[in-house]
Amino acid sequence: METTAAILWEQGQDWSVETIELDPPKGREVQVRLVASGMCHSDEHIVQGDLPGLFPIICGHEGAGVVEAVGPDASFVEVGDHVVFSFMPSCGSCSSCASGHSNLCDNGGLLVAGRQIDGTSRHHAQGQDLQTLLLLGTFAHDTVVHEWSCVKVPKEVPLDKACLVGCGVTTGWGSSVYAADVQPGDKVAVVGVGGIGSAAIQGAALAGAEQIFAIDPLEWKHEVAQGFGATHTASNLEEAAALIEEETWGRKCDKVIMAMGLGDGATMDQVMGLAAKRGRVVVTNIHSAAETSNTIPMLDLTLSEKQVVGSLFGSANPRKDIPRLLELYSAGRLDLDGMITRTYTLEDINQGFADMREGKNIRGVLRYE
Ligand code: CXF
Ligand code: ZN
């Protein structure tokens, strides 16, 4: 069939919205008519080259839609199902999945850009095979993915909001709740108030943090952060250090969540300075693949027993946590609506990314009518 997709033909270019040829699903693949897709910084990282990409590629990995067709071997996804994509597939049987860490499924490992799991392509344009980001390619009206990438969700949940849980919300919320293990009474700093940071603030608040310091250079985001549960705001790490010192009586933060658009190893000394003795710094944001050094004060790491941990997808289990987060949304305990600053059509995708670069959005969402 023919459908419309935004293709990135080469790194650094604009998105090109054009007609593509989409093959029917094979094996355990499913064809999904997308309702919406969030625009995540990781898509921008492919454009900028901070994450390695293969081209031409259809990016987008925060999508939700309705299943239109299934391959002959699909086992748990049926036509008509509403699904949110998980940016990591969950095969259920690799050692990561089997040990309760399906965010690290061996079938997703290093597949930032790829084709189908069998190595062939269902997406084609201008006579070429297309890559799909994270085996998804949600910047398109229709796509074909493996059922391992699908999480079924109740039909009442609005898919144009639910799409956010396919990456940013689970990543941010899980960074607080799982990776940082925020405890009642904790003092928490969240560095960066975007899609991940605003979900991290909400996760920390729900987990019972007593103080939540939201740090972002953009003033307008301070008020937004307070709406999500931040108790204090600061514009930069220096200002945050003074505020945290004052407000915690010198104890500093039990947990620090790094949720910047792009991490910077040169600032890690300041970041570590926000953490208390035995404090944990969770590095959720992406650092450039080209970055090879940082400024973590190593002696203090030992003397203060600080921890630095990486977290992918909020250290969550997508097939368990995506429905769970949508239940919290339906119960009014997780605000997805407030995270969506602007919506766009697929034709306006370049405007959406321009707005991201200018810091105009918590999340921009493409809606496919
Ligand atoms: C990222 C994490 C690093 C690989 C690409 C996807 N997560 C979501 O944006
Ligand atoms: Zn993402």
Side-chain angles (χ1 to χ4, degrees):
M1 68 175 282
E2 286 192 342
T3 189
T4 310
I7 302 172
L8 188 64
W9 285 93
E10 281 176 41
Q11 189 206 308
Q13 291 189 345
D14 278 349
W15 304 94
S16 168
V17 179
E18 50 192 279
T19 301
I20 67 160
E21 188 63 33
L22 188 65
D23 297 339
K26 292 185 178 171
R28 294 183 68 179
E29 294 161 9
V30 303
Q31 181 186 316
V32 175
R33 178 90 181 150
L34 282 146
V35 169
S37 173
M39 286 179 277
C40 173
H41 244 105
S42 298
D43 303 303
E44 173 70 1
H45 292 328
I46 298 287
V47 179
Q48 299 300 336
D50 295 316
L51 280 173
L54 297 170
F55 302 92
I57 185 169
I58 305 172
C59 288
H61 58 282
E62 203 174 68
V66 180
V67 177
E68 298 256 295
V70 300
D73 304 323
S75 65
F76 63 88
V77 175
E78 294 169 9
V79 171
D81 281 346
H82 287 204
V83 294
V84 170
F85 292 144
S86 164
F87 82 73
M88 290 289 283
S90 302
C91 76
S93 51
C94 70
S95 61
S96 296
C97 285
S99 58
H101 302 286
S102 50
N103 61 316
L104 298 173
C105 175
D106 289 355
N107 290 283
L110 299 171
L111 298 171
V112 173
R115 301 180 181 181
Q116 300 297 316
I117 283 178
D118 71 3
T120 63
S121 185
R122 304 291 163 268
H123 305 69
H124 321 274
Q126 300 185 27
Q128 291 188 49
D129 288 349
L130 303 172
Q131 310 284 328
T132 51
L133 183 64
L134 294 158
L135 309 172
L136 297 174
T138 64
F139 294 162
H141 287 269
D142 303 88
T143 191
V144 170
V145 304
H146 198 285
E147 64 176 344
W148 287 340
S149 300
C150 296
V151 180
K152 290 203 232 187
V153 299
K155 294 193 172 145
E156 310 76 69
V157 178
L159 293 172
D160 58 340
K161 311 292 186 323
C163 62
L164 300 190
V165 184
C167 177
V169 168
T170 307
T171 298
W173 194 89
S175 293
S176 286
V177 172
Y178 298 132
D181 193 21
V182 171
Q183 296 294 309
D186 269 358
K187 303 168 195 335
V188 178
V190 176
V191 185
V193 183
I196 294 172
S198 52
I201 293 168
Q202 295 194 63
L206 207 55
E210 189 217 345
Q211 292 178 322
I212 302 175
F213 299 87
I215 302 156
D216 197 285
L218 298 171
E219 285 292 323
W220 74 271
K221 292 189 175 180
H222 293 182
E223 202 176 318
V224 177
Q226 284 164 350
F228 290 130
T231 56
H232 300 74
T233 56
S235 295
N236 53 54
L237 291 170
E238 204 175 18
E239 192 183 310
L243 180 69
I244 289 168
E245 176 79 18
E246 167 90 12
E247 294 293 316
T248 65
W249 294 36
R251 165 91 185 119
K252 303 192 192 175
C253 287
D254 304 287
K255 312 285 161 57
V256 180
I257 317 288
M258 294 306 296
M260 292 166 57
L262 184 68
D264 177 3
T267 64
M268 283 306 288
D269 53 348
Q270 287 177 284
V271 172
M272 297 303 291
L274 305 182
K277 288 181 183 172
R278 307 209 79 235
R280 182 180 295 180
V281 175
V282 177
V283 182
T284 298
N285 52 214
I286 291 303
H287 285 247
S288 168
E291 188 180 81
T292 54
S293 63
N294 64 61
T295 55
I296 294 175
M298 297 306 288
L299 179 60
D300 186 47
L301 194 74
T302 303
L303 298 187
S304 299
E305 286 198 359
K306 291 183 183 175
Q307 300 176 3
V308 184
V309 301
S311 179
L312 182 68
F313 215 164
S315 309
N317 283 287
R319 197 153 289 120
K320 179 195 84 178
D321 285 300
I322 288 175
R324 180 180 168 149
L325 284 162
L326 291 172
E327 281 173 17
L328 288 172
Y329 169 66
S330 299
R333 303 183 72 194
L334 175 71
D335 181 5
L336 301 179
D337 303 13
M339 292 179 62
I340 300 172
T341 320
R342 284 180 181 78
T343 61
Y344 306 86
T345 63
L346 185 59
E347 285 66 30
D348 283 336
I349 186 171
N350 287 301
Q351 184 61 50
F353 277 93
D355 289 349
M356 176 194 288
R357 285 173 209 133
E358 288 173 33
K360 289 186 177 170
N361 292 339
I362 299 292
R363 249 322 182 240
V365 169
L366 300 166
R367 291 175 58 151
Y368 309 127
E369 299 302 343

